[in-house]
Amino acid sequence: MSRRRRKVLPKEPVRCEIETLSHDGRGIARQDGKTQFVDGALPGETVMAKVVSSRSKFDELRTEEVLDAAPGRQTPPCEFADLCGGCSLQHMSGDAQIEFKENTLREHFAHFGGIEPEEWIAPLRSEESLGYRRKARLGVRYVKARESVLVGFREKRNSFLTDIDRCVVLDPRIGERILPLRNMLHDLEAYSRIPQVEIACGDDVAVMVFRNMDELSVGDREKLIAFGQAHELHIYLQPKGPDTVHRIWPESAGWDEERLSYRLDEFDLTMRFHPMDFTQVNAGINRAMVHRAVEWLDVQPGERVLDLFCGLGNFTLPLAMRGGQVVGVEGDETMVVRGRENAELNGLDNVAFHGADLHGDFTGQSWAKEGFDKILIDPPRSGAEEICKYLTAFGAQKIVYVSCNPATLARDAGVMVRNGYRLVRAGVMDMFPHTTHVESIALFEKDSG
């Protein structure tokens, strides 16, 4: 049996007239009835692009030269932007990125929900689009042919790691230390047995969690500790699953063992979290997002408020500071514990945290039987289609939906509207500048008609 021959790709770049953008940020052109997806190209541009993949209905290309630039084009702030898959929109100006994300949200509402908000609100934007990212997973790979260690994100559309020595999007406490991190890892006896480094940053502390596939030698542990001391980083190891993560520098002491923290000054709250907990990556946008959600819900003293997928209490505690009785519900028991820790830390007794399966009907739970006046929901990318079918049982006057996926938000919005709610307002939040990730927020109100 003969193997199918791999299609021979053109060696020379081809001319592309870019018409629009795909939802993953690639320029779309057409030639001879075939669609072309062009990395690094913007609508209205003429570019020369190299074909990197060819299929029966479409080709994938990479921009080599811009012949006619669009007004929204800018010089990427990162020298590795053309290759690194950590960002995909650095060639777009900030205004162009926001416009792209707003259009993505509009199109999803129209396509999946068949609806439109009564009001489109101004986007929440970062004052600084660099150095914002506080959470990430960095890949590590030893390249035998070069006798070197690479640390970073995957290249665009393949599994290779990008050869970088810094990252301008990561928190500078991490992003400016990529090269010394590479050098330190290369110097370990276990240089080829550490596949990834998780990073997490609080307001005052930055952490690196090293996934060590083998038990480290005394010498390797000392080198990791010395690296943490030299760069003022906390150092953790993860020998197996997430529950094996533990700190080796500095030595654990006090009740705040293995905790970072961030402040929500508007509410006079301190939020503590473990390095492996889910937290928002962009501290500035998170503060603005919490402010907007609390403002929209407008909780009054004595009202009952439900916070679904509450995590460690990022919205729950600010809502409680407005005087209502707040119930936070989470499917992850670890985060339920974390929420309770934060409520105790901040001296709040008008909030309760519960664990529950958030994939089905939970209206019969004891904490749900009294109903709720206001609801906040912040689900994962898969959304909350099933939950939205049950929310009307609570009789809430207002529901704020925070979303990290415009497609599932639009789908769930359709469910809400069919069940007696109006989509009053919606807009994007630029939680991830320079990426195609679209974070958004929507307000629903019970239809009195």
Side-chain angles (χ1 to χ4, degrees), residues 70-91:
R73 177 171 287 277
Q74 69 172 10
T75 301
C78 174
E79 60 190 292
F80 310 106
D82 290 341
L83 188 60
C84 180
C87 300
S88 54
L89 299 181
Q90 286 200 15
H91 59 292

Side-chain angles (χ1 to χ4, degrees), residues 291-336:
H291 170 86
R292 177 163 286 178
V294 172
E295 179 183 54
W296 283 7
L297 281 179
D298 189 27
V299 176
Q300 301 298 310
E303 289 186 329
R304 280 176 55 80
V305 185
L306 176 62
D307 181 10
L308 292 171
F309 303 96
C310 65
L312 52 80
N314 187 56
F315 293 105
T316 326
L317 301 193
L319 289 167
M321 293 295 288
R322 292 297 182 254
Q325 297 293 319
V326 186
V327 175
V329 184
E330 173 60 55
D332 183 343
E333 287 292 341
T334 299
M335 299 306 283
V336 173

Side-chain angles (χ1 to χ4, degrees), residues 14-18 20 26-39 49 51 57-61:
V14 299
R15 185 184 180 94
C16 300
E17 306 283 344
I18 309 301
T20 185
R26 291 185 289 177
I28 297 178
R30 290 175 176 82
Q31 189 172 52
D32 300 328
K34 194 174 186 181
T35 301
Q36 299 170 311
F37 293 100
V38 188
D39 266 324
V51 179
K57 295 184 179 180
F58 65 89
D59 291 336
E60 296 181 306
L61 303 91

Side-chain angles (χ1 to χ4, degrees), residues 58-216:
F58 65 89
D59 291 336
E60 296 181 306
L61 303 91
R62 183 178 63 246
T63 299
E64 299 277 301
E65 180 184 2
V66 179
L67 302 179
D68 186 13
R73 177 171 287 277
Q74 69 172 10
T75 301
C78 174
E79 60 190 292
F80 310 106
D82 290 341
L83 188 60
C84 180
C87 300
S88 54
L89 299 181
Q90 286 200 15
H91 59 292
M92 296 176 68
S93 68
D95 288 344
Q97 290 183 34
I98 290 293
E99 182 181 2
F100 163 73
K101 294 180 181 186
E102 288 184 317
N103 287 338
T104 299
L105 182 59
R106 290 173 187 269
E107 290 170 7
H108 278 100
F109 270 131
H111 180 71
F112 290 99
I115 55 177
E116 184 171 345
E118 297 171 11
E119 177 188 4
W120 288 104
I121 52 99
L124 292 182
R125 300 185 61 172
S126 300
E127 293 183 5
E128 178 53 67
S129 65
L130 302 178
Y132 71 85
R133 186 160 186 173
R134 289 188 167 195
K135 292 275 287 187
R137 174 179 293 172
L138 299 173
V140 180
R141 185 167 299 170
Y142 175 70
V143 182
K144 186 174 181 180
R146 296 170 47 178
E147 295 187 351
S148 63
V149 171
L150 301 183
V151 177
F153 300 103
R154 291 181 178 179
E155 293 181 359
K156 292 178 180 177
R157 311 196 194 285
N158 68 51
S159 61
F160 298 116
L161 287 186
T162 313
D163 187 3
I164 64 173
D165 53 28
R166 62 192 291 264
C167 176
V168 299
V169 169
L170 291 177
D171 185 302
R173 292 171 289 180
I174 303 294
E176 295 299 325
R177 291 175 167 85
I178 300 296
L179 182 57
L181 174 62
R182 289 175 54 178
N183 293 337
M184 183 273 296
L185 289 169
H186 183 267
D187 198 33
L188 297 180
E189 295 173 41
Y191 60 85
S192 64
R193 300 292 290 166
I194 296 180
Q196 68 187 40
V197 180
E198 299 269 0
I199 66 166
C201 301
D203 288 348
D204 303 317
V205 172
V207 165
M208 288 187 178
V209 182
F210 293 85
R211 173 70 175 96
N212 56 306
M213 298 177 69
D214 305 314
E215 184 175 353
L216 298 181

